[in-house]
Amino acid sequence: MAGYVSPDGKTVFAASPDGQTIFSHTLQELRNVVTSLNPSVDVVFRRVDASVGPPLFSDLELNQASINRGTYTGQETNLAGAIGSFSEPLQKPRDQIKDGAEENEPTPPARFHILITDGVQSSNTQRTDISCTAGSDYVCIKKKLSALIEKGWAGVVLALRSEFGGKVYSEINKGRAIPYESKKRDVGSFRPFYLYIFSPDHAALDRLVSVLKERLRPLIGREDGLREYALTTPYAEGPAKGDITVPKEAADFLEKSRAREEDPVRFTLKISLNTEKLGAKPVTISVEPAWSKHALDSGSRQELASLLRWELVPVYPPDSKYGAQGSRYPEIKVAKQEVDGNGKVLLLLNAQWPPGAGTPEWRAYRLEGRLNLEQEVPPWIRQWSTNLDTTAETANRTLNLESALSGLWRNPSLEKQVVAEVYLRVGPQ
């Protein structure tokens, strides 16, 4: 990773006036953020190579790593081991233990963990280790990340691109050095790097990531220069916006209205009993989710909307009353879902009264939009990933990034999230 740092602070390939790279500025801003947290925290620095180094209780090390290429001397990168250490207790040196505290008193893990990496698990042993302790590959990164999330930890991966001038080491060709230099003002040629940010405190992590991104954004210079893979944080903040449209051909059979309350959006649809014989009639509901900042750094509004799956959930009458003798209820089904160029979800529904006898009654549905967790990764991860690292042409992407991060959002935190919801009441016209 030495190539991310300008040699001797000279403007060799960095675009900034002070000759420092986006990577260097990121480490400096990171130091500024973590040292200004309230309540204050101790900063612990660890080097990661073939093993995870001992904790150094000094934020000065972080500053040195931002300007000194000599910091990066390791020949291997055990990312899986570093992530595995997150949940381990962190013991202070004896001279930093407060008076009266027992040396054997159990210590918790650090409140925040930020792993700064080029995203490549590197091992000279080139073997698969099922236990993921040494000589392991990208599969072990996923295992360690999944283990933290299953324990209830919060996690976010921030991705940035930085100027680079130096050697990239091929994992496929067993560490063969490939000279690579990004073009000074061509962000597409910059080399990616990542901040794996985890904490057992969900709310605290959300605040930290938000502050850090605001500090980093001016360094980037373009919207897609900073990406996020939000593994546990909210994808929506506030109620969705929505509208309902009845096409002309269905105007004689469907009658729409909406409630004044917008949280959540509620519609009423009256359905003609003639649909029992004439068949279902179309109605379109458009939904615009209130995407969070975490979500908007994961993709465009159009990309995010395409990641949603929609389900009609009956909410009234209760199951015990539905289908009761002497009553009949209308039916709504989702026929098609589309996303327009502005990121609005267009849901085509079919509405009708099914054949039957009994008194027409009112029915209510909740239309839920959730993340389709069968999608392996957000689109940007595929764009930043490569399966080969044997030439300089792929040095602006990360080896096996998609494989290392795929499927991580199939976790309890995101499974519970409803990104957008609309209520629909249907009954006789």
Side-chain angles (χ1 to χ4, degrees):
M1 292 179 63
Y4 287 109
V5 180
S6 293
D8 303 322
K10 296 178 181 178
T11 55
V12 176
F13 52 81
S16 62
D18 63 3
Q20 296 189 42
T21 63
I22 290 175
F23 176 84
S24 294
H25 283 296
T26 298
L27 267 61
Q28 292 160 14
E29 288 298 332
L30 179 59
R31 182 191 181 201
N32 292 335
V33 169
V34 298
T35 55
S36 62
L37 290 175
N38 187 16
S40 62
V41 296
D42 294 320
V43 178
V44 179
F45 182 88
R46 287 185 170 186
R47 301 172 190 267
V48 179
D49 44 46
S51 60
V52 181
L56 305 174
F57 284 76
S58 171
D59 60 272
L60 295 177
E61 298 287 342
L62 192 59
N63 190 60
Q64 281 297 309
S66 73
I67 60 175
N68 186 0
R69 284 191 169 193
T71 302
Y72 306 94
T73 57
Q75 299 300 309
E76 301 182 36
T77 311
N78 187 2
L79 298 184
I83 297 166
S85 71
F86 285 2
S87 58
E88 296 175 358
L90 186 63
Q91 184 66 53
K92 285 187 176 182
R94 288 188 177 184
D95 59 356
Q96 294 190 25
I97 298 176
K98 293 181 180 179
D99 293 339
E102 294 289 338
E103 290 190 19
N104 294 328
E105 183 179 333
T107 55
R111 188 180 183 194
F112 302 108
H113 295 264
I114 305 175
L115 175 62
I116 306 158
T117 173
D118 65 357
V120 180
Q121 171 86 8
S122 173
S123 173
N124 290 335
T125 55
Q126 294 292 314
R127 74 175 188 273
T128 298
D129 179 5
I130 297 176
S131 65
C132 292
T133 55
S136 50
D137 59 16
Y138 60 86
V139 175
C140 291
I141 297 176
K142 185 190 300 187
K143 284 184 178 180
K144 297 296 185 180
L145 293 173
S146 296
L148 284 174
I149 295 171
E150 288 170 5
K151 290 179 181 178
W153 281 49
V156 158
V157 178
L158 294 184
L160 301 93
R161 292 184 181 275
S162 176
E163 306 93 333
F164 189 95
K167 295 177 181 178
V168 176
Y169 294 90
S170 170
E171 290 301 301
I172 293 176
N173 282 347
K174 297 183 179 181
R176 184 173 68 87
I178 302 170
Y180 183 72
E181 185 166 315
S182 60
K183 298 175 183 177
K184 194 166 186 178
R185 299 193 181 276
D186 179 7
V187 178
S189 71
F190 289 6
R191 184 161 169 79
F193 70 98
Y194 306 89
L195 307 181
Y196 288 68
I197 308 176
F198 278 78
S199 173
D201 187 332
H202 283 240
L205 178 129
D206 195 356
R207 291 192 297 269
L208 173 65
V209 171
S210 296
V211 172
L212 182 57
K213 287 197 300 181
E214 289 307 308
R215 296 291 293 262
L216 295 179
R217 207 173 296 279
L219 307 176
I220 308 305
R222 51 185 279 179
E223 282 189 23
D224 60 354
L226 187 154
R227 288 301 196 192
E228 179 173 346
Y229 188 16
L231 300 174
T232 57
T233 51
Y235 273 73
E237 49 184 14
K241 296 179 181 179
D243 203 356
I244 184 169
T245 305
V246 174
K248 289 183 179 180
E249 63 270 22
D252 293 336
F253 304 95
L254 303 178
E255 182 182 339
K256 65 172 185 174
S257 63
R258 66 184 300 159
R260 293 181 180 179
E261 294 83 357
E262 294 290 322
D263 184 10
V265 178
R266 291 182 286 175
F267 300 117
T268 296
L269 186 68
K270 295 181 180 180
I271 307 173
S272 170
L273 293 173
N274 291 333
T275 57
E276 177 181 346
K277 295 181 180 179
L278 298 177
K281 300 301 176 182
V283 58
T284 299
I285 291 181
S286 65
V287 184
E288 186 177 357
W291 297 110
S292 69
K293 292 181 180 179
H294 294 290
L296 292 173
D297 282 326
S298 299
S300 67
R301 293 179 183 273
Q302 191 172 20
E303 289 173 333
L304 291 169
S306 300
L307 294 174
L308 296 178
R309 61 175 178 83
W310 293 87
E311 182 180 1
L312 268 173
V313 180
V315 295
Y316 180 84
D319 290 342
S320 59
K321 291 185 178 181
Y322 178 70
Q325 188 174 4
S327 300
R328 59 186 300 207
Y329 297 91
E331 286 187 352
I332 299 287
K333 294 182 179 179
V334 178
K336 188 178 181 182
Q337 82 175 59
E338 297 177 342
V339 177
D340 69 12
N342 296 318
K344 287 185 179 180
V345 179
L346 306 177
L347 297 162
L348 176 63
L349 310 178
N350 286 330
Q352 76 172 126
W353 286 92
T359 304
E361 302 284 0
W362 284 87
R363 193 175 186 186
Y365 294 90
R366 181 174 60 250
L367 190 58
E368 293 181 349
R370 298 175 181 264
L371 285 172
N372 181 2
L373 301 181
E374 296 307 311
Q375 295 275 356
E376 289 298 314
V377 291
W380 72 262
I381 292 180
R382 293 192 183 94
Q383 298 162 8
W384 289 37
S385 183
T386 179
N387 295 324
L388 294 173
D389 69 344
T390 54
T391 65
E393 283 69 27
T394 59
N396 63 340
R397 285 173 282 165
T398 303
L399 180 68
N400 295 325
L401 180 68
E402 182 178 358
S403 298
L405 298 182
S406 64
L408 288 174
W409 57 8
R410 287 200 296 270
N411 65 70
S413 290
L414 296 189
E415 287 170 357
K416 296 175 184 177
Q417 282 194 32
V418 176
V419 175
E421 62 179 359
V422 171
Y423 281 82
L424 181 62
R425 189 170 69 110
V426 293
Q429 190 175 43

